[in-house]
């Protein structure tokens, strides 16, 4: 590798040049020598991209300067005119580096991708919720990201949440859920990622019933799907499910006057809330 000139003779030449010419042309001539020195390095040859070549030039310049300034023969003093020569070269080096923030070529030929200047943030994953369920034991619930309706055609409802006239003998006068009417046999899906904590063919008034626990924004939320068709359950207790995963089909088992999905939703306190309104605010697709 050909190094830029240094030592007493180079310094003398530099001083002589600076006496005759302004410093800018001198930088250009120094740069040309440094560039040809880079081009003479066979290890990089044709594989070095143009900007990497510039980075190499910067390194070569720095190397050359370090060698020059560390050579005792230069002996630059505070009043030496050579200072006015080297100072612009230092500026030129800094300018070159500022133009090369994207990729830096290193000795092994490896490319180091820089960190983005903006829009980079580290966010810790939210902690899971652990719930205790008698039939399952300890249940770990990862945070659900997506919320979906439990049936196709969710706009077809027959009975909303809250007080009502009991539709049948033995039916509650306070409706604990929402009744969806997508049609007998329609698929019923989980409203979000979660874990099945109940899956029974004999859920009493709820008939064939599946319950899924979810971690919604750090809160424990349970969805309960009732009156499914006998034999239509596709999940078992303890199974993890994803948003939109089928649990069973619309039926009329248990205390029911016709095929529909009775959806109940409740938090950790077990108190039922209006699942239809809750979903309407959160469903994104
Ligand atoms: Zn109902």
């Amino acid at each position: 590798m050909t190094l830029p000139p240094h030592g007493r003779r180079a310094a003398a030449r530099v001083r002589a040049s600076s006496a005759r010419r302004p410093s800018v042309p001198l930088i250009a001539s120094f740069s040309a020598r440094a560039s040809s020195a880079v081009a003479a390095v066979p290890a990089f040859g044709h594989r070095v991209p143009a900007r990497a070549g510039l980075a190499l030039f910067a390194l070569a310049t720095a190397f050359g300067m370090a060698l020059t300034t560390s050579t005792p023969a230069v002996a630059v003093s505070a009043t030496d005119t050579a200072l006015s020569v080297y100072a612009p070269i230092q500026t030129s080096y800094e300018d070159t580096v500022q133009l090369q923030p994207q990729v830096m070529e290193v000795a092994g030929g490896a490319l180091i991708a820089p960190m983005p200047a903006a829009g980079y943030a580290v966010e810790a994953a939210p902690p899971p919720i652990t719930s205790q369920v008698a039939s399952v034991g300890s249940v770990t619930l990862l945070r659900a990201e997506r919320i979906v309706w439990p049936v196709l055609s969710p706009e077809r409802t027959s009975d909303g949440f809250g007080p009502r006239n009991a539709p049948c003998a033995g039916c509650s006068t306070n409706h604990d859920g929402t009744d969806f009417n997508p049609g007998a046999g329609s698929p019923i899906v989980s409203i979000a990622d979660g874990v099945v904590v109940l899956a029974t063919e004999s859920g009493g008034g709820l008939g064939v019933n599946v319950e899924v626990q979810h971690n919604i924004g750090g809160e424990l939320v349970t969805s309960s799907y009732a009156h499914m068709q006998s034999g239509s359950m596709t999940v078992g207790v303890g199974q993890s499910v994803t948003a939109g995963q089928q649990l069973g089909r619309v039926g009329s088992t248990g205390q029911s006057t016709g095929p529909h999905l009775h959806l109940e939703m409740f938090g950790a306190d077990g108190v039922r809330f209006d699942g239809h309104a809750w979903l309407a605010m959160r469903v994104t697709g």
Side-chain angles (χ1 to χ4, degrees), residues 166-265:
C168 66
C171 287
S172 163
T173 54
N174 188 55
H175 196 209
D176 275 342
T178 299
D179 290 344
F180 292 90
N181 295 75
S186 287
I188 296 169
V189 303
S190 178
I191 58 146
D193 294 359
V195 176
V196 176
V197 295
L198 178 71
T200 178
E201 288 279 335
S202 51
L206 295 176
V208 178
N209 181 213
V210 170
E211 277 187 14
V212 183
Q213 286 191 341
H214 317 276
N215 173 348
I216 307 291
E219 301 290 328
L220 175 65
V221 171
T222 301
S223 55
S224 169
Y225 312 78
H227 310 315
M228 288 182 179
Q229 273 182 358
S230 290
S232 71
M233 279 196 306
T234 54
V235 294
V237 171
Q239 181 178 336
S240 291
V241 294
T242 57
Q245 180 172 338
Q246 186 166 334
L247 308 173
R249 292 187 177 277
V250 172
S252 190
T253 54
Q255 197 75 262
S256 171
T257 56
H260 72 284
L261 165 65
H262 171 87
L263 175 76
E264 291 186 13
M265 295 192 64

Side-chain angles (χ1 to χ4, degrees), residues 12-248:
R13 204 161 64 224
V14 161
R15 276 194 290 274
S17 302
S18 70
R20 290 196 304 272
R21 290 183 290 171
S23 58
V24 172
L26 182 66
I27 295 166
S29 112
F30 181 86
S31 301
R33 283 197 298 274
S35 295
S36 59
V38 170
V41 179
F44 295 98
H46 63 279
R47 291 189 297 107
V48 180
R51 59 170 53 158
L54 283 172
L56 272 172
F57 158 60
L59 290 173
T61 306
F63 182 58
M65 287 180 61
L67 207 65
T68 302
T69 52
S70 63
T71 306
V74 172
V76 177
S77 72
T79 55
D80 197 319
T81 53
L83 268 185
S84 64
V85 171
Y86 284 107
I89 292 174
Q90 176 65 35
T91 302
S92 172
Y93 164 67
E94 287 175 350
D95 287 345
T96 304
V97 169
Q98 285 166 7
L99 287 170
Q100 306 299 318
Q102 304 301 315
V103 177
M104 174 178 271
E105 182 82 19
V106 293
L111 293 177
I112 298 174
M115 300 240 296
Y120 182 81
V122 175
E123 192 174 326
I129 291 177
T130 302
S131 70
Q132 299 297 325
V133 180
S135 57
V136 187
S138 181
V139 176
T140 300
L141 301 166
L142 301 178
R143 195 157 177 151
E145 302 293 341
R146 186 168 156 248
I147 311 286
V148 300
W149 289 106
V151 292
L152 300 170
S153 307
E155 70 283 359
R156 295 171 61 183
T157 59
S158 59
D159 202 355
F161 180 83
R164 65 173 179 181
N165 294 320
C168 66
C171 287
S172 163
T173 54
N174 188 55
H175 196 209
D176 275 342
T178 299
D179 290 344
F180 292 90
N181 295 75
S186 287
I188 296 169
V189 303
S190 178
I191 58 146
D193 294 359
V195 176
V196 176
V197 295
L198 178 71
T200 178
E201 288 279 335
S202 51
L206 295 176
V208 178
N209 181 213
V210 170
E211 277 187 14
V212 183
Q213 286 191 341
H214 317 276
N215 173 348
I216 307 291
E219 301 290 328
L220 175 65
V221 171
T222 301
S223 55
S224 169
Y225 312 78
H227 310 315
M228 288 182 179
Q229 273 182 358
S230 290
S232 71
M233 279 196 306
T234 54
V235 294
V237 171
Q239 181 178 336
S240 291
V241 294
T242 57
Q245 180 172 338
Q246 186 166 334
L247 308 173

